[in-house]
Amino acid sequence: WSFSALLPEASQALVEPTSSGLVELKAHVNGTDFHVLVESVQRERTFGQTSLQVSGRGRNAYLDAPFAPQQVFSNTDGRTSQQLLDDVLTFNGIPLGYSIDYGLEPWFVPAGVFNHQGPYIGALSALVQAGGGYLIPHPSDLAFKVRHLYPTAPWDAPKADIVLPSAVVTRESVAWVKKPAYNRVYVSGQEQGVLGQVTRAGTSGDMLAPMVTDPLITSVVAARQRGLAVLGDTG
């Protein structure tokens, strides 16, 4: 999560970094608490008034640069994709205190296939994106949700459960986006991967999307989930 806020000059001492590190704020928005880190403090002075512009990210930014070190993540043993996420969130074998609500179908990754260099969040993202998913940081806790870009294929999506009356909408804008109507994609691993041909059911598969390669595509499960993410974002 990112945030920015305009504060009076008198609050400067409350938001500046200390010897203990960055200041953590709590923002209460529509009934939800967001715990955020003040990463930037800028003071602006004009005639007759002075203000502070502060900005930053949610507390899970501690897993990203510049707070987290650059590391090499790998698997010496065969692990599932979900187990690898838990392995990343450790330091010398000790858990960092984060929890993950894993919403993808796990798949097996043979030893030596996972190899990523960067901060913790980069390694997490690489594992999740391989299966067509994304990370949702918790607003206040040290936790993430892992969800698929399309839990249900867009062409099979049910009707909306909630309808928002137009009378309560203060502003609306609509933009039409043109994309190729792909209905087939090849998804491939690398040294120890699989080659998956993912085709939208009920179509001839005559519109081929650009091929996707990822070293973590090591099973049919990963190929199918990644293929759905590709084909869901078309047409």
Side-chain angles (χ1 to χ4, degrees), residues 69 116 123 131 136 142 235:
H116 181 87
I136 307 174
L142 298 179

Side-chain angles (χ1 to χ4, degrees), residues 68-103:
Q70 297 287 312
Q71 302 179 71
V72 175
F73 300 91
S74 59
N75 66 319
T76 55
D77 300 313
R79 305 281 279 169
T80 68
S81 55
Q82 185 173 2
Q83 290 173 325
L84 286 174
L85 285 176
D86 293 330
D87 293 344
V88 167
L89 292 173
T90 61
F91 183 74
N92 289 336
I94 301 175
L96 297 176
Y98 288 80
S99 63
I100 293 185
D101 177 5
Y102 193 78

Side-chain angles (χ1 to χ4, degrees), residues 163-171:
V163 177
L164 185 66
S166 60
V168 303
V169 178
T170 58
R171 183 174 182 269

Side-chain angles (χ1 to χ4, degrees), residues 3-169:
F3 85 101
S4 63
L6 193 66
L7 304 177
E9 180 188 19
S11 61
Q12 181 169 342
L14 298 175
V15 295
E16 286 183 326
T18 67
S19 57
S20 301
L22 299 181
V23 171
E24 183 175 312
L25 304 179
K26 182 171 73 172
H28 191 71
V29 183
N30 294 336
T32 300
D33 288 333
F34 290 81
H35 288 226
V36 293
L37 305 175
V38 180
E39 297 183 87
S40 173
V41 180
Q42 300 181 45
R43 187 176 68 180
E44 182 174 336
R45 178 176 297 169
T46 59
F47 183 76
Q49 68 178 32
T50 304
S51 61
L52 295 177
Q53 179 74 40
V54 299
S55 61
R57 294 174 290 173
R59 63 192 308 204
N60 290 311
Y62 279 130
L63 298 177
D64 196 8
F67 312 110
Q70 297 287 312
Q71 302 179 71
V72 175
F73 300 91
S74 59
N75 66 319
T76 55
D77 300 313
R79 305 281 279 169
T80 68
S81 55
Q82 185 173 2
Q83 290 173 325
L84 286 174
L85 285 176
D86 293 330
D87 293 344
V88 167
L89 292 173
T90 61
F91 183 74
N92 289 336
I94 301 175
L96 297 176
Y98 288 80
S99 63
I100 293 185
D101 177 5
Y102 193 78
L104 298 181
E105 184 178 352
W107 69 93
F108 184 74
V109 180
V113 171
F114 179 48
N115 197 328
H116 181 87
Q117 182 173 353
Y120 295 106
I121 198 69
L124 296 176
S125 296
L127 287 164
V128 171
Q129 290 172 6
Y134 68 105
L135 288 167
I136 307 174
H138 193 278
S140 57
D141 297 340
L142 298 179
F144 290 92
K145 288 182 180 180
V146 176
R147 294 293 183 264
H148 199 283
L149 285 173
Y150 299 97
T152 301
W155 47 86
D156 290 332
K159 293 183 178 180
D161 295 326
I162 299 174
V163 177
L164 185 66
S166 60
V168 303
V169 178

